[in-house]
Amino acid sequence: MVNFDIPSQYTFSPSEGTPHLTINREATIDLDSSNAFEGPEKLLEVWFAPASDALPPSAATNGLKAVSAETWKEMLDLVNCKVLSVVESDHVDAYLLSESSMFVFNHKLILKTCGTTTLLWGLPRMLEIAAKEAGFPHHSVTTLKGMGKAATPYRVFYSRKNFLFPDKQHGPHRSWKDEVKYLDRMFEGGSAYMVGKMNGDHWYLYLTAPNTTLTPPLTPDRERETETKVLQYPLEAGSVLANGAMHNEDETLEILMTDLEPDNAKQFYLENASAVAEGKYFQRAMQARQEAAESLGDLHTSGMQTLSLSGTTAGSTSAHDETFDVFSNTSSDNGGFTPDEELGLPDELSTEGHALGTVVSEACGLSDVYPTSRYPDARVDAYLFTPCGFSANGVIPAPDQAGSAIHYFTVHVTPEPQCSYASFETNVPGRQTGRETSEVIQDVVNIFKPGRFSVTLFEARASEAEVGEMDELDMDVKAQESAKRRNMKMNGIKGYRRIERIVHEFDGYDLIFRYYERNDWKGGAPRVGERD
């Protein structure tokens, strides 16, 4: 049942060790998504250490989490988005933004923004903040305006789906070529890829090797540009080493959905959500009324025979009616319950914000993807925009690790039919959920009902040291098992047919890419938007 009260985790005095939420009410004033058009997000992930327990000696004890929220908000001004609310926990702070989300761990930062935000413009400031306020190793940098110090990242990942409206973007985001050039000016040894069909839905990726080096100042005649490699064909089944045997839990699943079924997408409109909230709210009021009436009946049967509820009111039909319902004192002709007369709908259930975000999260089934029955300490922070649009962050503590590991998921929806889009991203390990990846994918597409969608699964691979411990025969068996497991994970999405499959091995990671269309899809070719 939907809870219409302000959630208990919406508090400024959190209990120790429990994820808690703080709302930036000033940023939510007059927030309007009616001009939003570009759903596909830009996704930046910057690692300053290989793991949360491997921070360099110079870093603050809690790494990036030592940085104040105000400092991050100032950085986000460069990106052109605002903080709506924050769920804080011991291991990650989840920022819900006016355009998507940010997650701050002690060793890495993940920033995901949609619309016409200028995400990469915030990257130099991130490096400066990591150096000055989190204590990560750094270099003096004079080529980037206003920067005296820049932390040296361990690794950098930047990715996005092809834009629908690339001509509306700003700064370095007008094309993938411009984005690669911008990143090359900051980092040495970067690699750029395009995954999928050039004339269909595709996905771009830029990544650096471990122990990233900042690019030294370049003279005009040394200007360079990383070539974008096109990945269009699946590798051989045995070419990727099985990482499942190593129990490596560094993985990220991203589901990018377009052409949402129009009637289903209406649940992400404020008008529809408010109507759902109103119905549930007054249903609960009626239930409370019934329980109160039954309670009065219990009093009567317990011996309080002298209690009289008789009387005459403007709503009663007889001065001698001793059985009228004391809760039916309304102006309706039939004496029924009229909610608008007796109980006003709270403002937060008729205007954009976190309350209606919670209603939508529970009504659409999102809250059941990682249910509280398995993740009792999970926290979901959701927001519904005016006149439509939805965002949510989830902080998911591992149920069997006593708070020592916390993961996340994030969801963003643009439901307008001319540019409908929804995204779901999570790093909750598949092994932890006890389900195949395909089951999570099935749950998500059942919520949003896209005409087509792509899936990327990034998984950390076994290290060379771990591989060295396995003999050649064992490696071959593990590789074959891994290939079969991957196919099982990504196949069998009910109601959809797989159009494309690509598997690629990167330095330290394996990428699985799938593209699907609904079995009854008749919408024509994908809207590519940009071509590189």
Side-chain angles (χ1 to χ4, degrees):
M1 181 176 179
V2 176
N3 178 12
F4 296 97
D5 297 324
I6 297 298
S8 59
Q9 67 268 25
Y10 283 35
T11 174
F12 292 93
S13 301
S15 58
E16 185 176 357
T18 301
H20 66 280
L21 185 146
T22 301
I23 299 175
N24 179 10
R25 300 192 184 280
E26 182 178 346
T28 64
I29 297 174
D30 297 327
L31 194 60
D32 189 333
S33 68
S34 58
N35 293 321
F37 58 90
E38 187 69 72
E41 302 97 341
K42 314 165 185 81
L43 175 59
L44 176 67
E45 192 163 328
V46 185
W47 292 52
F48 293 94
S52 60
D53 58 356
L55 299 182
S58 64
T61 304
N62 54 346
L64 295 173
K65 280 176 57 61
V67 179
S68 69
E70 290 304 314
T71 298
W72 292 127
K73 290 176 184 178
E74 175 264 327
M75 181 275 294
L76 291 169
D77 285 341
L78 301 173
V79 179
N80 292 302
C81 59
K82 301 293 183 183
V83 175
L84 302 181
S85 51
V86 187
V87 175
E88 298 177 350
S89 70
D90 291 340
H91 296 272
V92 60
D93 295 336
Y95 289 72
L96 193 64
L97 308 178
S98 55
E99 285 83 11
S100 300
S101 301
M102 180 173 74
F103 298 90
V104 180
F105 297 79
N106 62 357
H107 68 299
K108 66 180 179 180
L109 182 146
I110 301 170
L111 179 57
K112 187 171 191 172
T113 65
C114 60
T116 57
T117 50
T118 49
L119 184 150
L120 290 179
W121 276 352
L123 179 54
R125 179 62 178 141
M126 291 179 203
L127 302 184
E128 182 181 31
I129 290 170
K132 290 184 175 180
E133 302 202 23
F136 285 95
H138 60 272
H139 291 83
S140 296
V141 180
T142 57
T143 57
L144 299 176
K145 186 177 179 180
M147 284 187 60
K149 296 180 180 180
T152 305
Y154 172 71
R155 293 201 80 166
V156 176
F157 303 83
Y158 175 71
S159 64
R160 65 171 176 84
K161 181 185 178 297
N162 54 290
F163 287 137
L164 300 177
F165 309 99
D167 57 313
K168 301 295 184 181
Q169 294 296 321
H170 303 296
H173 299 291
R174 291 186 177 91
S175 73
W176 175 245
K177 186 176 182 179
D178 288 346
E179 290 170 320
V180 171
K181 184 180 296 185
Y182 184 92
L183 291 164
D184 277 346
R185 288 172 177 167
M186 297 188 67
F187 309 114
E188 284 193 326
S191 300
Y193 300 87
M194 190 193 81
V195 185
K197 297 179 180 178
M198 297 181 68
N199 61 346
D201 269 0
H202 50 269
W203 186 74
Y204 295 107
L205 171 68
Y206 182 99
L207 76 165
T208 64
N211 300 306
T212 302
T213 302
L214 297 179
T215 300
L218 295 178
T219 57
D221 59 337
R222 290 181 62 234
E223 189 77 13
R224 63 184 177 81
E225 180 180 328
T226 296
E227 177 187 1
T228 296
K229 303 177 181 65
V230 179
L231 307 182
Q232 293 181 314
Y233 303 101
L235 299 183
E236 292 299 322
S239 65
V240 180
L241 178 67
N243 67 312
M246 305 300 181
H247 300 301
N248 196 324
E249 294 192 343
D250 177 11
E251 64 182 64
T252 300
L253 171 68
E254 192 174 25
I255 308 171
L256 308 179
M257 299 161 277
T258 60
D259 305 287
L260 309 183
E261 201 283 316
D263 287 337
N264 184 69
K266 289 178 181 177
Q267 63 188 315
F268 302 105
Y269 280 74
L270 188 145
E271 182 179 4
N272 182 279
S274 183
V276 171
E278 182 177 8
K280 295 287 187 180
Y281 183 79
F282 291 131
Q283 182 181 21
R284 193 178 69 173
M286 289 287 286
Q287 182 179 354
R289 165 191 172 187
Q290 180 63 34
E291 290 173 355
E294 292 174 356
S295 176
L296 289 174
D298 291 341
L299 290 176
H300 181 272
T301 59
S302 65
M304 299 182 66
Q305 302 290 342
T306 59
L307 179 62
S308 174
L309 296 177
S310 62
T312 302
T313 72
S316 65
T317 57
S318 169
H320 303 289
D321 181 4
E322 297 183 356
T323 60
F324 76 90
D325 186 348
V326 294
F327 292 93
S328 64
N329 183 16
T330 72
S331 60
S332 61
D333 292 338
N334 59 9
F337 178 60
T338 306
D340 293 336
E341 295 289 336
E342 295 194 4
L343 186 65
L345 186 69
D347 289 342
E348 60 265 27
L349 295 183
S350 60
T351 56
E352 74 164 68
H354 292 83
L356 278 183
T358 300
V359 170
V360 172
S361 178
E362 298 193 11
C364 75
L366 179 61
S367 297
D368 297 327
V369 176
Y370 298 112
T372 54
S373 59
R374 176 165 176 78
Y375 301 94
D377 295 322
R379 294 291 181 266
V380 178
D381 176 21
Y383 194 98
L384 187 70
F385 295 89
T386 299
C388 62
F390 173 79
S391 289
N393 286 342
V395 175
I396 315 294
D400 57 349
Q401 299 183 37
S404 63
I406 292 185
H407 302 96
Y408 72 89
F409 76 81
T410 184
V411 172
H412 304 283
V413 185
T414 301
E416 296 95 327
Q418 72 275 18
C419 55
S420 63
Y421 172 84
S423 67
F424 174 90
E425 178 188 339
T426 184
N427 72 338
V428 177
R431 191 173 67 89
Q432 179 179 299
T433 66
R435 299 188 295 168
E436 290 291 341
T437 302
S438 60
E439 294 179 80
V440 177
I441 296 172
Q442 188 74 66
D443 285 349
V444 172
V445 298
N446 285 347
I447 292 171
F448 299 104
K449 303 188 187 315
R452 41 199 167 194
F453 67 94
S454 62
V455 173
T456 58
L457 178 62
F458 237 102
E459 297 179 303
R461 213 164 359 94
S463 67
E464 292 184 4
E466 291 171 318
V467 172
E469 297 175 359
M470 305 167 62
D471 60 38
E472 186 174 348
L473 178 62
D474 192 29
M475 285 177 59
D476 184 63
V477 171
K478 296 296 185 183
Q480 296 296 333
E481 291 176 352
S482 175
K484 292 179 181 178
R485 183 164 51 252
R486 282 185 169 85
N487 281 328
M488 184 177 295
K489 283 180 178 180
M490 308 297 281
N491 289 339
I493 308 302
K494 186 177 180 180
Y496 292 84
R497 61 184 183 275
R498 193 195 73 208
I499 304 298
E500 197 167 6
R501 176 178 68 91
I502 296 174
V503 179
H504 190 77
E505 179 181 339
F506 295 103
D507 187 359
Y509 285 88
D510 296 328
L511 169 69
I512 304 173
F513 174 87
R514 297 288 189 277
Y515 173 69
Y516 302 82
E517 291 185 355
R518 199 169 59 224
N519 289 336
D520 62 352
W521 176 249
K522 299 178 181 179
R527 178 170 184 168
V528 177
E530 62 180 312
R531 302 173 187 271
D532 283 327

